[in-house]
Amino acid sequence: MVKREASYVEVLPFEGFGESLTYRLSSHFLERVRLGCLVRVPLGKRIVTGVVLGMTDSVKFDSSKLKNVVDLVLDQPVLTKDLLSLSSWLSSYYACPRESVLEAMIPAPVRRGMKIKQRRLIEISEPMEAAEMESLAKRAPRQAKLLAFLANQKLPVPRIETLSRLQVPATSCDALKKKGLINETSQREERLAYSDNLSGDEEMVDLEVELTDEQEIARNAILEKMKTDTFSVHLLKGVTGSGKTEVYAKVMEKTLRKGGGVLFLVPEVALAPQTVGRLRARFGKNGFKTVVWHSHLSEGERLDAWLDVARGDAPIVVGARSAVFAPLPNLQLVIVDEEHEPAYKQEETPRYHGRDVAVYRAKLNDAACILGSATPSLESMRNAQVGKYELATLTKRVDDRSLPTVHLVDMRRELLKTGFTQVLSQPLRDALRDRFAKREQSILFLNRRGYSTTMLCPECGFTASCEHCSITLTYHRVGSRLRCHFCGYERPSFRHCPECRSDEITRRGTGTQRVEDLVKKAIPKGRVLRLDADVMSKKNLFRRALNDFRRGKIDVLVGTQMIAKGLDFPNVTLVGVVDADLSLRLEDFRAAERTFQLLVQVSGRAGRGDQEGDVYAQTYSPESSAIQFARRSDLDGFVEEEFRQRKEFGYPPFRHLVRHLFRSRSEAKATFFTEQWSLRLREIVDPTEIEVRGPASAPVEKIKGYYRFHLWYFMHSISKSLPKIINLRREFPLDEEVSDVIDVDAQDLS
Ligand code: ADP
Ligand code: ZN
Ligand code: ZN
């Protein structure tokens, strides 16, 4: 066999110029460096880390000037083959640099080559005779103590912890080792996230349930498609409480038995423990390990999770958006729970949609993908309608539990009756009291956006707004301060109106704190807990709070939309929606869709146990179709009507929407460059292929001192049309003080 002269690799450095470069492999690395490996290479005067994206035996140019790869960070590739292809697709589809995609794919501790923590274990090699033991105890009492302890252990024990507990010095341990009386081995230290927390009420007992007819039909349809090992996407449309998770689990079981890996995405980190608990209870006993994967893990936990997955030790990965990049070696099933959630969209570079990436990754692996929701996104409904996705439907709750009754409280009528606007209407307060008397639990729900209490002067109309953002400041009772939710700016609240000096200036609006106070007034003996972003920011508080609620230590939960998702509390019989119209007022073509989804999802939190549930939704526009369809839980009716409108205006899902945002501290420059760009763009694009709308100022005109303008591009095919815009943009110089962002399939239009 002829030994290869030299081999070359294409390396994309993380801190380079966005281009991959060719390096030479010395014989030392020839056998070890593979596609997807992390290597260290010289770049200018620095040594930087990069990923091997290509390998070749010859180069077309003079190779004598090429530099060598200087180090291999990890012996195994950090990217599987499918992730390599995925990174290239992502970078072109979402028009973002490949390095930023690779950075999102490879966890930081792995990129930095963080070492794996080894744990030393000790055990007894052969038991000692009693007489010998006695003499040892006289000569070396601490050695004897250790040996006696080890003699009683069934499994090897951790060295450091054992020695410190027994107060035996390391020298005694080493002496025993030398004599061959004990063995020392090492094992990778486990930092299994959540393993310590799965005690008490969160411990999930796995009940093997018998599938309902509908569940069985759904499962069989999915498994049937999977038999052929070809790519398929299944939209599992199932009302809240219909047992979608059970369907996922049954399909997972089959996949795991065949040796396949499973990716399970949830929209919010907070929902991961609940899902992990269920899956560990179900599959742990069969030796299938589940790891959690999300951005809140410590570096060590991240590294462990990554290694477990990459080595094929853990075939199940549960996590939020970024888990879609977990390096499962044999991925056969991808599950996206609550697929409609906007949280799947990443709102910073790379601005990918976790659900869509999940679908594409399944495709690269000839795998199956299940998208589940009680309120699927219109994008997925459309894909099912045109036959791209298979549709599986669960129309009934398990055990035929009924869906809650939705009562619309017409706040206009309440206003006429009482003469003033109320936060909690009489019917809702009565319902709360009634539940409390019956020892049943309630959830009160406020939309995240606009839940602000702000300061308003009734004399001159002044409202307190942020100096850096075009946003009203939110009043916080603690410390009586006003705060900006965009940039964090804070100031004391006003005593006098700064405009007209009136001291009539007051708080206005509805905040979670305000609702909490009103609930306490309505049921003075009730135990009320408020959950919002402020509480959430404190570590673990959220999980503890949910546990308390589950245990019945709390009667009423007041919170923002995070409590609307996927949580399953059997004793909740009342859900109150304080302001069902809020999302309707957004300047967003998805306003009706969001309103519908939120109402149906929050309603789904009620009546999941043996008692029936009620929902009270307070609204000033009870006639709006989103609210009417939600009241009847009529998804298909809503989708049909919404499709009609979206189609008429060519909105998604009938065309893709790309949002192009320009930002600058200088309003004049932002306006000027946005205008110039739009003129230039309109010169070259064919309006029947790409429809350009704008420029216009963004709904939030200013954030952190930056003025914001945007353009919208509508197109049928991203891969065909977007490159035309990107190419033109490369040749269009922007002023230093202006920056822009291209957001493909934009969700956030604020
Ligand atoms: P969804 O995700 O569709 O809202 P879940 O999967 O959370 O619903 O299921 C709701 C509840 O019903 C859970 O407590 C689950 O354990 C239970 N469940 C699911 N399938 C069955 C079944 N076939 N028989 C009995 N209980 C079931
Ligand atoms: Zn005033
Ligand atoms: Zn601000």
Side-chain angles (χ1 to χ4, degrees), residues 731-745:
E731 291 156 19
F732 183 86
L734 275 188
D735 187 274
E736 265 181 14
E737 287 174 47
V738 184
S739 65
D740 67 335
V741 178
I742 287 182
D743 189 1
V744 176
D745 295 333

Side-chain angles (χ1 to χ4, degrees), residues 466 469 484 487:
C466 178
C469 314
C484 169
C487 73

Side-chain angles (χ1 to χ4, degrees), residues 362-423:
K363 183 176 170 164
L364 287 172
N365 286 283
D366 293 322
C369 182
I370 309 177
L371 309 177
S373 175
T375 53
S377 63
L378 291 191
E379 281 79 2
S380 297
M381 287 298 283
R382 176 76 185 150
N383 280 326
Q385 203 179 54
V386 299
K388 275 196 199 164
Y389 296 174
E390 312 287 324
L391 187 63
T393 313
L394 306 175
T395 58
K396 294 194 283 273
R397 283 187 159 185
V398 290
D399 294 346
D400 284 321
R401 280 169 209 154
S402 50
L403 282 169
T405 312
V406 179
H407 312 266
L408 295 181
V409 183
D410 186 342
M411 297 300 275
R412 290 171 308 195
R413 209 180 307 151
E414 294 298 308
L415 176 62
L416 283 179
K417 258 199 296 195
T418 59
F420 50 90
T421 47
Q422 295 198 333
V423 177

Side-chain angles (χ1 to χ4, degrees), residues 378 385 629 635-645:
L378 291 191
Q385 203 179 54
F629 281 119
L635 174 69
D636 292 330
F638 172 74
V639 170
E640 194 182 320
E641 173 165 319
E642 191 63 16
F643 270 173
R644 223 178 356 248
Q645 300 199 13

Side-chain angles (χ1 to χ4, degrees), residues 226-227 229 253-260 288 330 332:
M226 287 180 77
K227 269 190 193 150
D229 285 331
E253 194 180 313
K254 198 82 173 198
T255 311
L256 292 165
R257 287 235 187 89
K258 285 194 303 176
F288 297 115
N330 180 24
Q332 286 184 15

Side-chain angles (χ1 to χ4, degrees), residues 422-437:
Q422 295 198 333
V423 177
L424 296 184
S425 62
Q426 188 70 43
L428 181 51
R429 272 180 288 149
D430 289 345
L432 277 169
R433 283 196 201 104
D434 171 65
R435 296 311 138 120
F436 179 63

Side-chain angles (χ1 to χ4, degrees), residues 209-212 215 240-245 278 398 568 608:
V209 296
E210 206 163 304
L211 291 186
T212 63
Q215 284 173 320
T240 53
S242 60
K244 292 183 284 295
T245 315
R278 274 190 186 181
V398 290
D568 193 4
R608 291 173 79 95

Side-chain angles (χ1 to χ4, degrees), residues 25 47 70 136 286 387 416 457 496 621 672 712 721 728-729:
L25 283 181
I47 303 285
V70 295
L136 181 70
N286 299 322
L416 283 179
C457 171
H496 304 280
S621 48
F672 179 77
W712 286 9
S721 304
L728 186 71
R729 172 65 188 81

